[in-house]
Amino acid sequence: MFMFGTPDFGHSDLWHLNFSLKYLLSQALKNGYLPLWSKDIGMGFPTGGEGQIGVFNFFNLIIFRIFDAVTAFNISYLLIFLVAAIGTYLYCRQIKISRLPAIAASFIFSLSGFFVAHVSHFNLIQSASYLPWHFFLTEKFLQTRKNKWLFFYAIVLQQQIFAGFQQVVLISLIGVSLYVFFRCRQAVIKWCLFTL
């Protein structure tokens, strides 16, 4: 199976960090345990605490358990782009964008320069692929006021955290906070205009 990479100078994030950790994850899952500690790194290393191994992310747990490490790594890349595309499509449809522009938006976001330029940073793009899901579930909750959407939002947030790139989690939470602020502000302005 082919695994793609990008040119790096010296050490590569893709080969020397991301794939190495995912290989360790794959081997551990196939042997029936979670790789929370590795005796093979230095004098021992808390790989579970390192975060970038993504040990508790659902996709990582399933795919790296079923397939060999290289195949799982490639399938994971496909899933990253698919998760981003589906989330973008659902968000666009939720805010009443018609089907064809929603499909176009999903392709544009999931294959954007951000994702393509960071393809060697597995955890970064895996975490970023959950961003449109934040907006979709937030919008769904704001429109319906049903708590089940908050439950699904918590699962998405959890999986984004478990993907292992906390800066993207912070950016997502700031983005959603601003989104909610402006959506609620807009609703208050409309209410004031209609009541006057």
Side-chain angles (χ1 to χ4, degrees):
M1 189 72 164
F2 173 72
M3 184 166 66
F4 57 86
T6 58
D8 288 317
F9 297 101
H11 284 79
S12 165
D13 283 345
L14 182 64
W15 292 110
H16 297 101
L17 177 68
N18 292 310
F19 181 72
S20 300
L21 288 173
K22 294 300 187 268
Y23 182 81
L24 178 68
L25 175 64
S26 178
Q27 295 306 306
L29 292 174
K30 284 176 179 42
N31 289 316
Y33 68 93
L34 294 174
L36 302 178
W37 181 269
S38 175
K39 64 179 178 46
D40 299 324
I41 302 172
M43 298 296 288
F45 186 78
T47 50
E50 200 279 338
Q52 292 193 65
I53 194 169
V55 71
F56 294 112
N57 183 276
F58 291 148
F59 292 125
N60 293 344
L61 282 172
I62 294 167
I63 293 168
F64 285 93
R65 172 71 172 96
I66 295 172
F67 300 101
D68 66 274
V70 174
T71 304
F73 203 73
N74 284 300
I75 291 171
S76 294
Y77 271 113
L78 294 175
L79 277 176
I80 287 168
F81 292 106
L82 190 61
V83 165
I86 292 171
T88 304
Y89 177 80
L90 291 174
Y91 171 68
C92 289
R93 295 295 291 154
Q94 189 63 38
I95 59 171
K96 310 290 188 268
I97 294 176
S98 61
R99 191 167 283 129
L100 193 57
I103 291 170
S106 69
F107 278 108
I108 289 167
F109 178 73
S110 64
L111 299 173
S112 67
F114 175 82
F115 282 93
V116 173
H118 289 99
V119 76
S120 64
H121 304 110
F122 182 92
N123 303 89
L124 170 64
I125 62 173
Q126 187 177 38
S127 188
S129 70
Y130 292 102
L131 178 64
W133 289 90
H134 281 272
F135 290 104
F136 165 65
L137 293 169
T138 299
E139 185 62 35
K140 197 81 170 165
F141 172 74
L142 290 174
Q143 289 182 15
T144 65
R145 303 287 189 213
K146 292 185 179 175
N147 289 335
K148 70 178 182 179
W149 299 112
L150 293 177
F151 173 76
F152 292 130
Y153 182 88
I155 291 173
V156 166
L157 179 60
Q158 170 202 51
Q159 290 307 299
Q160 187 181 38
I161 291 169
F162 289 156
F165 205 89
Q166 305 316 314
Q167 295 91 326
V168 173
V169 175
L170 178 63
I171 291 166
S172 298
L173 291 174
I174 290 170
V176 167
S177 298
L178 290 171
Y179 184 80
V180 169
F181 172 77
F182 286 109
R183 279 276 281 110
C184 292
R185 185 172 165 254
Q186 183 182 19
V188 168
I189 290 170
K190 282 182 183 177
W191 180 80
C192 289
L193 290 174
F194 286 121
T195 56
L196 291 178

